[in-house]
Amino acid sequence: EKDIDGVDASKYVSELAECIMEAAGVSLKLKELPAGAKVCTRLRATYEEFSAHLAKALKKAFESTPNTDLNRRRFLLRFCVELVLVECISAKDSPLLDFVKEVTDISLPEETVITNFTIIGSLAQKHAVSCFGIVPAKQKTFEEALGRSWCERSCVLGEALRTQLMNLVVNAYQSSAAGLLQTAHTRLLEQEKVNSKLRVDKGQVDAENQTKHEQLKEAFTKLQTNLTTLSEYLNQPLPTPQEEDPNASRIGVKQEKTEEDNKEEELPMIWEDTEQQKFYEEVLDPKDVIPAVLLQSGKKEAEKADTTEGAETPKTQEEVQKEREEARAQAISDFELYLARISKCESAKQVDDIVIEFFHEYNTKGNRRALAQTLFSVQRTKLHLLAPHARLIAIVGPYMKDVPTYVMQGLQQELEHMKNVKDPVLIESKIRTVRYLCELCKFKVCPPGVVLDMFKDFCDDFSHHHAELCAHILQACGRYLLYTPETAMRTDNLLERMARLKNAKSVPLRLEIMLEDAYYQVKPPEGKKSKAKERDPLEQFIQHLICDRLYKDEDEDKVLKMVRKLPWSEDSQQAPGWVKKYLLDLNMHANYENLYLVASLLSGLAKYRDSFVIDVIDSLFENIQSTIERNDFREMPLRVRQVKLVGELYNYRLVDSGIVFDALYQFIGFSGPTAFRAGHAITAHRILERSLAAHKGQQLGSITEEAEESEAGGMQMPPILADPRHSLEAPWDYFRIKLVCVLLETCAHYFDRGASKQKLDRFIHFFCRYVHSKGELPLRFMNMVYDTLERLRPKFVFPKTKSAADEQVLKLLKAERETLDLNEEKNEPEEEEEAEDDESTDDEESESGDDEESEEEESDEDSEEEEEDAQDYSRAGGAEEGKKTQHEQEIEDFDKEVQQMLIDALDRERHVPRPSSSMQPLLSSELTQPAMAARKSDGGGTPAAPGAFSLMQKRGGKVQMKQIELPDDSKLMRARMEVTQQATQEKEDLKRYIMQSDAVSGTAPAAAPTRIQMRAGKGSGKAARLARNKEYIKTEFLPEDEPEAPVPGTTIRMSGGKGAGFSSRGILQRGDGGGGGGC
C-alpha cells in the first residue's frame, strides 16, 4: 500500500491491469487470491479508471487461455468472482456471466467438458451461496445440529444474475454428468476385459495395456470425485454407472448375486462351503486397521526422524556403535521368533493378526525380504500351510510388491526346473510347487493363465508324474477355474482332454483312481440332488452358536449369554437336547485346539443349569465307554477329542481328579464293565488276587514269608495286568496309549502337589508296565510316551525292561498291602508295635515326657498343615467317610516312628559314662545320678542356642539328626527357659550359702561332732521329683577340689526313696543355734 501511495502511476493504469493478469494463475496461486483482490481494490481507490481496464484485461486473459490450461482458467474465474464480490468491478461490467457460459457449454469436446466441470466444482465449493443462491445440504445439517440458522448476508450480485448463473450450472450438470460418468466407466470395463483375457491367454498383461488401464481408472476416479463435489454443493443427485451386462464379471470386482440365484445354487460351485468362501474372498485390507504411515515405511523408519531430533546429549562413537549392535541383535531375535510363529498360523484370524503385527513392528526392507523367503520356503510335507501363506501374501501384496513378486518368481523358476526332471524323489516338491501356485491363483495373486498353461503342459507330456500333478491341480483349484466365467471354457476343454488321455494311456490303478476322483469332484455327474434335511430354525441357531461362533470366533462369553436365553422350560426339552447334541458332536468340524471353549461354556453354564451340565458329562463318559467297547478304528479321531474334552473339564473344575484317574486306569485295563473305582488302590490288588488264584488254582494268592524275605518277592505278575471283564484289546493296538498321553498332557500338569501327585506317581508305574506289556512299540508311540513323561516328571527314569517295571509295581503293591484290607474293602492302617523300656528312670520319663509332648504337638501341627495342603491341591474332594486316606496313614506312621526314636535315644543316653567329679567318690553310693541337663553341660563344648533343637529321624534304616529353630513364644521354648531359670536360681542360692558358711566358720566355737542320719523316704515319682528339683544340690555346683570338713554340729540326713530311681533330700542344720540355711 505504501508503494501504491508513494508512486504516481496514473499514466500506466492499463499496464498495471495487464501485468496483474499475466501473473494470474502463473505466479499467483489460489491461496493468494485475497491478497490480489486487496491490491486491486487499493489501485481502484487510487485510480478510478483502473476498474474498466482490469475488466478488459481479465476478459482478454480468459479468452486467450487454452482450454487445456486448467489451473489458469480456474484462477481467472475465481479471481473474477472475488473482484465482483469486493466491488472492485461492477457486476454489470464484469465478464463473470460470459465466463460461466463458456465453462458450462456441453457442446465442447468431452475432455474439455470434464476439465470445465473441475472448474465449476472449485467455484461451487467456495461460492455456492453467493453466486448461485444454493444452500448446501451440509450447511443445513450444521444448522440443525447447532439449533440456530446460519447468519444471512446480503450479496452484491443481483438476484436475477444469481438465478441465471445457477440455471447454467445445474443444467450443465444434469445434462452431461450421467453420460460422462457412464462413458468413463464403460471404457474402464472394456480395458479390464482386455486385460483379463491377456492374463488368461498369456499369463500376464503387457505394459501398454496396463498403462492404459491405469490412466482410464485415474480419469474415472477424478471425474467421480468432481461430480460428487458438484452433487453435494448443488443439492443434485449423484449419477451411478451401470454394468453393461449384469451377469458379467471381471477380475477385481465382486459379483452381486440375486436371492434367486442363491436359492438355485444354495452354495456357489466355486467353493465347497461357506467357510472356504469366506477364507478366500473376505481378505483383510490393511489400510482399514493400520495407519497409512506404517503401510509404507514401517514403525522403525517412521520413528527414525523423532529419534534423531530427540538426541540432544552427544555420545561417543563406541557407545553409539554398541547401542546399534545391541538393538540390531534384539531386533533380529524378535523377528526370528515372529517368523517361527508364521508357520503355526492356520486360521484366517491368525493370519490377519500376524500381518497387522508385521506392519506395526517389523516393516523394513530387510524384514520384507526375510518374510518373502520364509513364505517361499514352505516344507514339502506341510501342504496345510500353503493356503494361510497364500492369504498372507494376498493381504500384504498391494502394499509390499516385492513379497508376491519374489514368491511368484521363485515358484515359476522351480516349476520350470522340475518339469524336465522325472526323479521320483522330487514328486513331493513338485506337488508343493503346483499346489502353492493354485492357492495363489484363488487369491488372485497368480494369474489363472499360469495355472492353465501348467495344466496344458502336463497334458502334453502325460507321464506318471504329470498325471499325478494334474490331479493335484484339479483338487486345489479345479472348481475355481471351471466355474469362473473367464476361464470356464478353457478349463472344460482341458478336463475333457485329460479324461481322454487317462483312457487312452496305460495309467497305474492308483493314478487312475486319483484322476477320476479329482475329475468328479470338479465336475460331478448329473443326477438327482439330495434334498437337505429341513431343520427347525431354533436348531439351526444353536448349531450356528456352537459350531461357528464358539469354535471359530472363540467368543464363549457371548455364546454363554445367548445359550442362557434359550427356552429352558420343562415343557420344551428340544433346546437342551439340541445344545447337548452339538456340544458332544466332536466330529471333524470341532477344532481340536479350541475344545477348551466347550469346557469354558459348560463351566459358565453350571452356575445356572447344573443338572444339564451333569447330564452332558455323563453322556460324554458313556460315549467313551461305548466306543472303547466297540474299538472301531473309524471312531479313533472322535475318541481323541472326547478324551481331550475330559481333561479340559478337569481344568475348568467340572470333574474331580478321581474321575480322571478312573479314566486313566480304564484305558490300561483296570476296570470292569464301567470305569467305576478303577483308580482306587484296592482295584489293582483284587485284579492281582484273581489272576493269582486262577493261575495257582487257589482261592487267595498271598505273599508268603519266604517271599517277603527274598528280594524277588512272592508274587508273580501276570503277562497283562487287567480286569477279565474289561473289553478286549488286540496286542498290536496301541491307541489306548495315545489316549493316556492325550489326557495326561491336557490336565496332568495340575497333579504336582498333595494326594494328586501321589496318585499320578502310582499311575505312572502301572502305565510303564502296561507299555512294556505291549511288546516293542512303534517309534512314534514311544516318543509320545517319552515326551509325556518328560513334561510331567523330568527326573523319572523309564524302566528299560518289563522285569524292571514288574519290580517297581510289585514293590508298590507290597507297600500298599500293609495298609489295605481286601475283605473289608477299605484302607485300615495296622498298629505298629511300640518299644517298651522298663529300666528307664523317672527322671528320663519326666524329660522324655516333656519332649514327647512338644514333639506330638509339632507332629499334630505338621499333620494339620499337610492335610490342608492335600485338600487345597487335591481336587478329589477328600477321602470317603469312615476311611483314612493314604496321606493320613503316612502321617500317623511318621508320628509313631518319631515317638519310638525318642524312647530309643533316651535309653542309649542312660548308659553313657558320666564325667569324673571330685564330689562323686564321696557320694557314689548315696547320691543319685545327676540330671540329663547337668551331665550334658559337664561334657564341655559350646552350648547350643536357646531355640536350637535336634530332631532325630529314621529313614531307610539310617538315623539322621536335623537342627530345628523354634520361636521364643512356642510352648517347648517356654518350658526350656523355665528349667534354665531354675538352674540359675539354684546356683545363686548355693553361692550365697557357701559365702555365708565361710564367714560364719571363722568365728565358730569348739567343733561339734558330725552326725549322718539315714531315714527312709516317703514316696517317689512326681512328689520326689519336685522335692529334688527344688532342694537337691547338683554335682555341677560342688567344688572340684577336696571338700572341706562339715561344719561342727551339722547334721546330714539322707532318705532313700521307693521309686524306680533314687531320690534324696539333704538338710543342713547349725548346732549352735546361730542360724542356718537350707538348699
Side-chain angles (χ1 to χ4, degrees), residues 266-337:
E266 292 183 359
L267 193 68
M269 293 297 293
I270 298 180
W271 314 111
E272 296 179 359
D273 51 26
T274 56
E275 291 301 322
Q276 190 183 53
Q277 183 181 9
K278 291 180 181 179
F279 185 83
Y280 287 101
E281 291 186 351
E282 297 180 3
V283 180
L284 173 71
D285 191 355
K287 70 179 181 181
D288 296 337
V289 294
I290 301 174
V293 65
L294 297 179
L295 293 176
Q296 301 297 332
S297 59
K299 179 180 178 181
K300 296 181 179 179
E301 296 181 6
E303 294 178 352
K304 186 175 181 180
D306 299 340
T307 305
T308 54
E309 292 177 1
E312 297 180 356
T313 58
K315 296 183 179 180
T316 61
Q317 186 176 2
E318 295 180 356
E319 293 178 354
V320 173
Q321 185 67 20
K322 184 177 181 181
E323 290 180 359
R324 289 180 179 176
E325 292 178 357
E326 293 178 355
R328 188 182 299 108
Q330 182 65 26
I332 293 174
S333 176
D334 295 342
F335 189 64
E336 289 177 353
L337 296 176

Side-chain angles (χ1 to χ4, degrees), residues 825-836:
E825 297 185 2
K826 60 182 181 179
N827 300 332
E828 294 181 357
E830 298 180 357
E831 296 181 358
E832 298 180 1
E833 297 181 357
E834 298 182 1
E836 297 179 359

Side-chain angles (χ1 to χ4, degrees), residues 533-590:
K533 182 180 178 181
E534 295 183 0
R535 296 180 180 178
D536 189 271
L538 181 59
E539 182 182 1
Q540 295 179 8
F541 176 70
I542 293 174
Q543 182 184 11
H544 167 71
L545 281 181
I546 296 175
C547 300
D548 294 336
R549 295 286 298 276
L550 183 62
Y551 283 115
K552 295 165 185 175
D553 296 343
E554 302 180 9
D555 196 357
E556 66 271 23
D557 293 334
K558 293 183 180 179
V559 173
L560 175 60
K561 294 179 181 178
M562 294 182 182
V563 170
R564 287 177 55 194
K565 294 178 181 179
L566 294 175
W568 292 88
S569 60
E570 297 179 358
D571 300 336
S572 176
Q573 294 295 331
Q574 291 183 340
W578 287 330
V579 174
K580 175 182 173 182
K581 171 186 174 183
Y582 290 108
L583 283 176
L584 296 180
D585 186 13
L586 304 176
N587 286 315
M588 300 305 295
H589 72 274

Side-chain angles (χ1 to χ4, degrees), residues 918-936:
S918 59
M919 190 63 183
Q920 193 170 2
L922 295 176
L923 303 178
S924 59
S925 60
E926 294 86 2
L927 299 181
T928 61
Q929 296 181 3
M932 291 290 294
R935 280 189 274 130
K936 290 182 180 179

Side-chain angles (χ1 to χ4, degrees), residues 105-119:
D105 186 5
I106 60 176
S107 62
L108 298 174
E110 183 179 346
E111 295 181 0
T112 306
V113 174
I114 294 174
T115 304
N116 292 339
F117 268 37
T118 305
I119 298 173

Side-chain angles (χ1 to χ4, degrees), residues 99 113 125 138 235 336 440 670 698 790 956 987 995:
F99 289 178
V113 174
Q125 191 173 3
K138 184 183 294 186
N235 293 337
E336 289 177 353
L440 291 173
F670 281 46
Q698 59 185 10
E790 184 178 1
K987 188 173 182 180
M995 296 296 294

